[in-house]
Amino acid sequence: MDKTIIIDGQPVVFRKTAGTMMRYKRQFGRELSPDLSKIYEVMPLLAEFYEKKDEELTEEQKMAAAKIVLGIETEYMYDIAFIMAQQADPSIRDELEWLDRFSEMNILQLFVQLLPLIQCQFVGQLDVFCSHVHHLPKGYDRKGTVRTFDTTRF
């Protein structure tokens, strides 16, 4: 499944395939499911800040949002986005070279656009992962089922 997203005025194709999880593990030496769990824990906290325009936020709210963002493993988001872009364009070889193609990239906004694509692939696998952990991340019920959140609010 492909999705084209405009980054810094450039169309970038992202692809999710059956091999995405394996590619991620081979490239970064980490399992994708736990990395996604960490990201999913904080994404709902950011929802209230994305609902408002920047000028509507108080300085206190901006600081609270910044603390949440600083607590996010943004490296995981960049890595996931890179793997999916690389799957769509095999000529992409190096993550930093790929990132250097853009003068700016809001990884949180990009990741929110990738979430529907990612959820299609991984919701079932996250269910299996969560059913084997003792402490369920926020966003999961006791059966290990993912409670998705409305990504249109971001």
Side-chain angles (χ1 to χ4, degrees), residues 40-55:
Y40 279 156
E41 283 185 39
V42 295
M43 292 303 281
L45 300 175
L46 291 172
E48 67 180 278
F49 300 108
Y50 279 96
E51 289 176 351
K52 298 180 181 179
K53 295 179 181 169
D54 196 45
E55 59 271 4

Side-chain angles (χ1 to χ4, degrees), residues 14-151:
F14 294 89
R15 179 172 293 150
K16 177 268 311 175
T17 70
T20 302
M21 289 187 80
M22 185 61 71
R23 287 176 187 274
Y24 186 86
K25 184 174 183 176
R26 286 184 182 169
Q27 178 79 23
F28 302 110
R30 300 186 310 264
E31 293 286 344
L32 183 54
S33 296
D35 289 358
L36 278 173
S37 303
K38 292 173 187 172
I39 295 167
Y40 279 156
E41 283 185 39
V42 295
M43 292 303 281
L45 300 175
L46 291 172
E48 67 180 278
F49 300 108
Y50 279 96
E51 289 176 351
K52 298 180 181 179
K53 295 179 181 169
D54 196 45
E55 59 271 4
E56 295 175 350
L57 294 171
T58 66
E59 285 303 312
E60 186 176 289
Q61 289 173 317
K62 288 179 185 177
M63 290 300 292
K67 286 180 183 178
I68 293 170
V69 170
L70 290 174
I72 295 174
E73 296 288 349
T74 54
E75 181 180 356
Y76 298 161
M77 293 180 187
Y78 283 107
D79 292 348
I80 292 166
F82 169 71
I83 285 295
M84 294 175 74
Q86 189 180 50
Q87 284 182 270
D89 180 358
S91 70
I92 298 171
R93 291 283 169 217
D94 182 75
E95 186 173 10
L96 291 178
E97 287 177 14
W98 176 69
L99 288 170
D100 285 343
R101 293 180 184 181
F102 313 104
S103 60
E104 57 184 59
M105 176 190 292
N106 183 325
I107 191 61
L108 294 175
Q109 289 178 349
L110 171 63
F111 200 78
V112 165
Q113 292 178 62
L114 290 175
L115 275 176
L117 193 64
I118 295 167
Q119 287 176 332
C120 289
Q121 169 86 23
F122 303 110
V123 167
Q125 291 155 346
L126 285 172
D127 288 346
V128 171
F129 168 74
C130 289
S131 66
H132 291 92
V133 295
H134 298 289
H135 170 69
L136 295 174
K138 293 176 189 170
Y140 296 86
D141 66 19
R142 288 285 170 214
K143 296 176 186 171
T145 304
V146 177
R147 290 190 325 247
T148 58
F149 52 92
D150 183 7
T151 58

